[in-house]
Every structure is written in structure tokens, then in C-alpha cells.
Amino acid sequence: MLAIARSELIQIFRNRMVLVTSFVIPVAVSAFFVYRHEVFAQLASFGYIAAIIMFTVGAFGLYTSIVTTLASRRQNLFLKRLRSTAESDAGILAGLVTPATVVALVQLTGILIVFGLVAGRPDNVPLLVLAVLATVAMMVGLALATAGVTNSPEHAQVTTLPVSLGVIAVSSWVGITGTAELELVKRLLPGGAATELMLNAWNGGVALSDSLVLLGPTFAWVVVAVSFANRMFRWEPRR
Amino acid sequence: MSTTPVIEVERLNLKYGDFHAVRDLSFEVRPGELYALLGTNGAGKTSTLETVEGHRVPTSGTVRVFGQSPRDRKAVRPRMGIMLQDSGFSPDLTVRESVGLIGGLTRRDDDVDRVVDLVGLNHRAGTLVGQLSGGEKRRLDFATAVYGTPELIFLDEPTTGLDIQSRDDLWDAVDRLRENGSTVVLTTHYLEEAQQRADRIGLMHKGVFHREGTVAELTRTLPAVITFTPSATAPALPLPVAAAADGSVRVETFHLQKDLHLLLAWAQDHAVELRDLSAGPTRLDDVFRAIES
């Protein structure tokens, strides 16, 4: 698994297109949110900005990157090649998604630290870490599921749009309007509960037990996505 | 050396939707032999090979490699090397990195530079795979298959796209592996390679096994052919004619030497010139054509 992860990291840094679209753009967008945080805070709260940063990196830096990587590795038969070795399927997938996941976590950590220094410390850092980890797990699960219906890297530009734009839209909806109305709907949508968790972690004012409940819908999406991927994921191009 | 088969295939069936790619296929491969699986396009060779390798699940039937399911990768793969028909390497990794990665994942020990050198890619070791020619990619593929000298090696169209020198080098390397006891399963479109190298051959057509045996056993099933054009005034021929057209005669025989001698003696006795005389043993191509027709 580690050998695959290492080779994947090498490939990411050798491919300028991947490097720019998956890593430079999310950081640039996040930097813009941090720079203009006072404007966005008027719209909602600092917690909302943190949630938007989390989903920008999660959607474009992590989710899109993993879907594109898996589609590309399948298309050029690299997945089949890896399966001709003694490595397990789980080990192969873990090796392929780990570099993008680690890079996304490093990006998020760095950006949120900078945001905390600029806008003020979050209310509950451990809860914030939990919100980030849960969101990353959900985005990885959704990426595996989407990769199952993505034939090529070019196709990924289309198949990743609904989830990428969807989670950012849900995050903005929940972040700006709160969950006083349509609470259940907002929490059940992908990214809704995670956004609320982030709002609670950054802004505070909500009992910890009420916040931890929000992990349920987020992890439920992980389970749904992984079971979908389990049925839909293909290791070779369609014949 | 053990006589327990390395590969056992019993009543294998493979279906893709309504398409029945392989029907009731049974064969075994013995330790140390080079077994060639040959067939026409779409005969089901690669499907069969990929099932034996563990890449596909049989629709029905059983496949065992070293007595185990080939899908048990942890148990079986360290003992087998696979040269796929298609490249399947990342264009953004170098030759050395690719051999190191795939070779390492087989759980066999070897020296990456030794293997790169073995396939003649040492001068390209630091080159990205995306910059290699088709033939160089085949050699890279071969390198990962023979990394760590596996007990069983699958070669799927190994010499396609290789120049003559590279082909010879590849077969020399295969010979050395066989001297060390490796078993080889080969598919190829180059019948002369199979004819020269295979201990036994399985011939497939439309998903079915038509014949199996040594080259001698397979070619023995068809007559050898003598063709010539006798002069117009020649008396009756001493052998039965299988076909005649435009003055040219075709004789088929299971006793080539005896009948050729008879024909030449007859020509000598009657002062008959046999123009365009040609005689040769049955070749694998002939067996192949017979199956196709």
C-alpha cells in the first residue's frame, strides 16, 4: 500500500495539470475567502467561511482529484496492472487515495490555522478536527462511488460536478440560513450535517452532545457511498 | 520435479452477458513445461488466460493454480509473473520506478537494475514510461513478469511489436527461466514461435478447445502436402491426387518420405519433369487453417 501511495505522490507532483487543478486552485480560492473574511462573515459567520473552505478543498482538491485519478488509472490499465500483483484490492485503493487525502488534510490544516490567526480562534478545536475528518471520509467515499460511473478523466469533469457543486451549495444554504427551518432536510443532504458541525465547532454556543449527533448523517453518507462503490466500481475499462 | 499440475482447469465456462466466450474448457499445465494457448481472433484465449491469472471469475467450472484459487492473490501471486497483453503502466513513472513498484508488489525479491538490464532497458531506466516506444513497453512488461524469477509465468502476446533482436533476447531470457524450472503459459499469434518453443499446445476456436498435444501430435492429424506441375504428356501418376487445377497437382500423404521417393522414382523412370515441385511436413498453420475451415 505504501509503495503505491509513494508512486501516486510522485505522479501527482509530475503532472502539472493535476497539481494546478487539484491543489493550487483550492488553495487560491480558500485564500480569497480568508482575505475577504469580513465580507463573508457579514453574510453568515466565521464558521460558515471555515465550512466553505473545507468543502472547496474537499470537493476540488480531494473528491475531484480522486475521481480523476481512479478513472485515469483504470483507463490506462494501471489498476489492472496493480491487480496482477499480490496487493489486495483494499490496499490498492488505499494506496491510490491516500496521497490526495493527506495533501487535502495538510491543505485544510494550513488554511484553517491561517484563518484562525486572522479571524480568531475557533470555539472547539477537537470538534473542528472531527468535522474535518468526517467530511474528508465522506468526500473519499463519494469519490469512490463516483469513480464507479466515470469512464475517463475527461468524463470526470462532468460526473464530479453534481457532488462538487452540490456540497458547496448545501454548505452555503446551511451556513447562511441555519437549520431553524427544514432541519431534517438540511442535515440529511450531503454536507449539511458536516457544515452544521463546523459551524458549531467554530462559532460555539451549542452543546457538545447536540453537535456529535451530526456525525450520524455524515457517516451515513460514507456508508451509502462505499456500498454504492462496492457494487459499481470497475477495475478495467468497459469492454 | 513434482508432477502435480501447476494449473488445473476443469469445465471452465465464461459468459459476457449473452456471449458465451469460453465453453467447457479443460486442460492442465505441468511443472516446467511451456504450454501455448493458441487460437483464432476472439477464440477466448485471453479470457481463459485472465481467468487462470485470477483477473476474471469463471461463470462455471473450476480453476486451480498451485492447487489454490487464482483469486487468492496473497497466496498465488508471489509465485506467478504476469505479462499482460496491454501495457498498463503509468506514463508519469520512470522505467526503474515502474519495475520497482510492480516487482515489489509481487512480494518477490530481486534487484531492479538487474531486471531492467535483463530486458535491455538499462539505458532507458530513468526515462518516463510515456516516452517509451511500443516495443520498449513490451520489454518493460516482460521485466515486471520475470521480476524475482517466478515459478509460473504468463506471457500474453509477448513479442508483439518487438524487433527481431528483442524477440531473440526475450526468448533467450525465457529459456534461462525454464532452465531454472519456471513453467510458462504463452499465447501468441506467431505460430512459428509456438511451434519452436512449446512443449504442448492447446488450440481454441470460438471458445472451444479443438485439439491439444505436442506439435508432432497436432501436425500428425493432417497429411503432408506435395505439389508439382507434371508435363502434359506424363503417364498416370503413381499417387492419388487430392486436387488439381491449371495443370498443378496436389498430393496429400501421411508418409511423406516414402511417397516423395516413389514420386521422384516414377518421374525418373518416365523422364517426367516435375515443375515447381514442393513438399513439406504439415505445419501448425495447416492445423490452424483446418480448424478455422
Side-chain angles (χ1 to χ4, degrees):
Chain A
M1 191 276 259
L2 288 177
I4 298 173
R6 186 177 162 275
S7 81
E8 199 57 37
L9 202 59
I10 291 171
Q11 292 174 72
I12 286 171
F13 283 99
R14 279 193 188 146
N15 192 320
R16 279 188 205 140
M17 182 73 94
V18 174
L19 205 57
V20 170
T21 55
S22 302
F23 302 109
V24 176
I25 290 175
V27 170
V29 172
S30 301
F32 173 72
F33 282 119
V34 173
Y35 178 65
R36 306 285 292 182
H37 66 277
E38 284 173 351
V39 176
F40 288 103
Q42 284 172 2
L43 206 60
S45 63
F46 285 147
Y48 163 64
I49 297 171
I52 280 293
I53 288 170
M54 180 171 74
F55 278 106
T56 302
V57 173
F60 297 110
L62 179 62
Y63 168 78
T64 305
S65 166
I66 290 176
V67 175
T68 308
T69 297
L70 291 176
S72 167
R73 305 289 179 259
R74 181 200 295 126
Q75 192 183 40
N76 67 14
L77 298 173
F78 190 61
L79 293 185
K80 186 177 180 182
R81 167 75 50 193
L82 292 175
R83 285 188 110 206
S84 69
T85 69
E87 190 65 59
S88 67
D89 287 350
I92 292 169
L93 283 179
L96 291 171
V97 305
T98 296
T101 307
V102 169
V103 171
L105 283 170
V106 169
Q107 282 178 317
L108 275 172
T109 305
I111 294 165
L112 291 176
I113 286 174
V114 171
F115 182 53
L117 292 173
V118 172
R121 199 172 178 277
D123 181 73
N124 188 335
V125 173
L127 191 61
L128 186 142
V129 170
L130 210 54
V132 168
L133 292 177
T135 303
V136 165
M138 184 183 79
M139 297 311 286
V140 170
L142 290 171
L144 292 175
T146 309
V149 294
T150 305
N151 297 326
S152 64
E154 295 77 20
H155 193 206
Q157 291 172 4
V158 177
T159 58
T160 55
L161 281 180
V163 168
S164 297
L165 299 181
V167 291
I168 289 173
V170 167
S171 184
S172 288
W173 188 32
V174 173
I176 293 170
T177 64
T179 50
E181 289 176 6
L182 297 171
E183 181 189 75
L184 188 63
V185 173
K186 287 176 178 173
R187 284 181 176 174
L188 290 181
L189 287 171
T195 300
E196 195 179 344
L197 195 61
M198 181 58 109
L199 294 175
N200 295 350
W202 202 284
N203 299 335
V206 179
L208 184 64
S209 56
D210 290 344
S211 292
L212 290 177
V213 171
L214 298 167
L215 288 172
T218 306
F219 284 121
W221 274 108
V222 177
V223 172
V224 168
V226 169
S227 61
F228 185 78
N230 216 20
R231 283 193 298 127
M232 297 296 292
F233 193 80
R234 287 173 291 112
W235 292 90
E236 292 177 41
R238 208 179 292 280
R239 285 186 166 216
Chain B
M1 186 181 282
S2 164
T3 53
T4 309
V6 175
I7 296 171
E8 297 162 276
V9 177
E10 276 180 60
R11 299 186 65 85
L12 172 67
N13 281 276
L14 279 170
K15 281 184 178 177
Y16 302 115
D18 292 336
F19 178 62
H20 208 145
V22 176
R23 293 169 191 268
D24 281 334
L25 195 71
S26 297
F27 68 96
E28 58 181 43
V29 178
R30 299 159 195 157
E33 76 173 338
L34 194 156
Y35 187 93
L37 197 58
L38 307 180
T40 47
N41 286 334
K45 308 182 295 286
T46 295
S47 290
T48 302
L49 204 62
E50 290 189 344
T51 308
V52 177
E53 289 166 355
H55 281 118
R56 303 199 181 284
V57 184
T59 307
S60 67
T62 56
V63 177
R64 303 200 74 75
V65 178
F66 300 117
Q68 290 167 304
S69 164
R71 304 211 27 105
D72 184 353
R73 297 217 286 264
K74 226 170 208 170
V76 172
R77 290 292 166 76
R79 303 174 71 182
M80 65 160 78
I82 300 174
M83 183 176 183
L84 298 171
Q85 194 179 82
D86 303 296
S87 173
F89 290 102
S90 172
D92 293 323
L93 292 177
T94 66
V95 168
R96 187 183 282 113
E97 287 165 349
S98 298
V99 173
L101 171 66
I102 304 299
L105 291 174
T106 63
R107 310 277 191 266
R108 294 189 292 271
D109 290 327
D110 210 328
D111 176 25
V112 173
D113 289 327
R114 182 199 78 82
V115 180
V116 170
D117 189 45
L118 176 81
V119 298
L121 286 176
N122 40 343
H123 66 294
R124 305 282 270 163
T127 305
L128 293 178
V129 172
Q131 295 169 2
L132 297 181
S133 69
E136 287 172 331
K137 282 180 186 165
R138 291 310 284 151
R139 285 193 269 161
L140 172 60
D141 210 333
F142 182 67
T144 58
V146 301
Y147 186 96
T149 316
E151 294 167 64
L152 171 63
I153 304 163
F154 291 95
L155 303 176
D156 195 351
E157 307 284 354
T159 53
T160 303
L162 294 186
D163 58 36
I164 292 172
Q165 183 60 50
S166 300
R167 277 185 202 192
D168 290 346
D169 292 344
L170 183 142
W171 286 120
D172 285 347
V174 171
D175 289 343
R176 284 197 296 277
L177 287 161
R178 294 191 65 202
E179 283 164 16
N180 286 329
S182 294
T183 305
V184 179
V185 178
L186 163 77
T187 70
T188 180
H189 277 112
Y190 299 116
L191 297 182
E192 69 278 15
E193 287 182 346
Q195 182 146 5
Q196 285 169 17
R197 312 240 168 212
D199 296 309
R200 287 190 306 133
I201 294 171
L203 289 179
M204 290 183 75
H205 182 53
K206 292 184 176 170
V208 178
F209 234 16
H210 275 257
R211 281 170 209 176
E212 189 191 41
T214 62
V215 173
E217 285 167 348
L218 293 176
T219 53
R220 194 182 296 154
T221 58
L222 287 179
V225 173
I226 305 169
T227 57
F228 56 92
T229 306
S231 54
T233 55
L237 294 172
L239 297 167
V241 174
D246 300 330
S248 176
V249 171
R250 175 188 167 95
V251 172
E252 294 178 347
T253 173
F254 286 98
H255 310 285
L256 179 61
Q257 186 179 345
K258 180 171 150 273
D259 285 346
L260 188 59
H261 184 264
L262 183 71
L263 179 68
L264 291 173
W266 169 83
Q268 177 88 20
D269 292 348
H270 296 87
V272 173
E273 185 190 357
L274 303 174
R275 290 196 308 277
D276 302 324
L277 175 64
S278 156
T282 310
R283 292 174 305 153
L284 212 46
D285 310 43
D286 303 317
V287 180
F288 225 77
R289 285 194 192 94
I291 289 173
E292 277 186 292
S293 61

